[in-house]
DNA sequence: TCAAAAATTAACCATTTGGTTAAACCAAAC
DNA sequence: GTTTGGTTTAACCAAATGGTTAATTTTTGA
């Protein structure tokens, strides 16, 4: 068989696996369901990816890499802090609105598999907080923004942007929103969040 | 056998089940492990709680009720908005620091089991956003705070407080924190978050 | 004291699940 | 056309898992 089809099949398996893993999470995912949805025999899964664990790791890695480099490039550019912030909120929310299960999946599996999570983060070109932390300190010293621990600021930004996706069902339930309203709200947040932080940090 | 011991056993099972479910999540939890940790026979689990699903629902309900009424009472009191906010951040973070797995558990299981999640929320004395939403609108009209959609404000508050707990492992990994630093940061956030929001909403 | 009721257990059971094996299939090279 | 290599499948397998049953132990209350 040609290399072509080989790659195609592997690709189809991985894409299907991403779907199922994101929908159900690692623990609740069944190899059989992936095989069924991909229209192949279960044994073929093990032919391409040796085990459930390895398939999961391929899925996780691909998912993580779908947004990490982008975040990285924004945070490591030369722009002023607030420009980065607007760009980040916009890009991140836009992307996550198209990939609704991504954040919950990453968050959940990191929590449930922390040994793997840490070794994965160490092996990967992950967003590096030192550069932007330096920038935050510099802008504080320059009097552009109020003093704040850089990690607190970063944590707040991530929280404001990511939590609504991470806790989608809870939030919709508590605030009595349907999906349409949720999307509207998240679109507003592309500017609302940076505006809010800008205001909060006004010296 | 006395009603006493009955209650005691049921209580011990439930407490153990809370531990295991929070550690592993519904899908990865094994009835056998709960039985082992509780020092009883597996059949006894089914004697008190008919099935894994029912045990899970008891666990989930008890966990949810550990904090929902408190949040409720704070948000529905007569205080000014910012007083509530300070009280909420302080109480919530203090409690979650002592129950590290609670938020991730609730968030994860609501996501993975949304049919159950919604019917549960409907059946329960959940935090009701209408009251505090009214208050927010009133304080906007009184010129105390800037205009903002009440749901956006509530969503932001929840995000800032809850996300670090929900995504603990991811956050520690990205920001390179050990647990000690995490605790320090979260303690600072008891006032940092309300301060930040207060500033952001200054008219 | 002793029989009935409740609690607890050991042994089972059916099904599900991740994973394996050996055979079949199929495109291409010779 | 036949061999050869990787690809795909049907059939299996052993372990794990949620759940049940029937018997045993403990408690109760008359």
């Amino acid at each position: 068989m040609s290399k072509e089809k080989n790659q195609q099949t592997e690709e189809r398996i991985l894409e299907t696996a991403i779907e199922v893993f994101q929908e159900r999470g690692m623990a609740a995912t069944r190899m059989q369901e992936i095989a069924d949805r991909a229209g192949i025999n279960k044994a073929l899964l093990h032919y391409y990816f040796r085990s459930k664990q390895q398939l999961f790791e391929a899925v996780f890695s691909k998912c993580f890499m779908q947004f990490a480099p982008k975040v990285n490039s924004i945070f490591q550019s030369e722009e002023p802090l607030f420009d980065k912030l607007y760009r980040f909120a916009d890009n991140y929310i836009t992307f996550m609105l198209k990939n609704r299960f991504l954040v919950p999946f990453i968050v959940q599996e990191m929590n449930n598999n922390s040994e793997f999570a840490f070794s994965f983060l160490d092996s990967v070109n992950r967003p590096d907080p030192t550069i932007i932390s330096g920038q935050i300190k510099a802008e504080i010293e320059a009097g552009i923004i109020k003093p704040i621990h850089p990690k607190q600021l970063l944590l707040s930004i991530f929280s404001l942007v990511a939590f609504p996706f991470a806790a989608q069902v809870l939030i919709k339930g508590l605030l009595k929103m349907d999906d349409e309203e949720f999307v509207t709200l998240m679109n507003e947040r592309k500017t609302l969040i940076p505006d809010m932080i800008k205001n909060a940090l006004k010296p």
Side-chain angles (χ1 to χ4, degrees), chain A residues 5-19 21 26 29-32 34-35 38 40-63:
Chain A
K5 194 162 180 190
N6 182 321
Q7 297 275 42
Q8 259 175 239
T9 308
E10 184 167 336
E11 189 55 31
R12 191 170 78 244
I13 291 176
L14 191 56
E15 289 305 317
T16 311
I18 288 178
E19 267 183 46
F21 272 113
M26 164 66 163
T29 287
R30 302 293 161 240
M31 295 296 270
Q32 189 62 58
I34 298 174
I40 57 167
N41 189 289
K42 190 179 53 148
L44 204 57
L45 290 183
H46 290 87
Y47 178 74
Y48 284 99
F49 303 85
R50 295 182 62 86
S51 66
K52 186 185 180 185
Q53 181 65 26
Q54 270 187 241
L55 179 54
F56 164 73
E57 291 180 11
V59 165
F60 185 90
S61 181
K62 181 150 187 186
C63 288

Side-chain angles (χ1 to χ4, degrees), chain A residues 82-106:
Chain A
F82 287 129
D83 291 359
K84 289 184 182 181
L85 191 42
Y86 280 97
R87 221 148 57 81
F88 170 70
D90 193 323
N91 281 316
Y92 192 96
I93 291 176
T94 300
F95 182 72
M96 293 311 167
L97 279 174
K98 285 185 201 133
N99 296 271
R100 279 319 175 77
F101 294 123
L102 190 54
V103 177
F105 172 68
I106 297 287

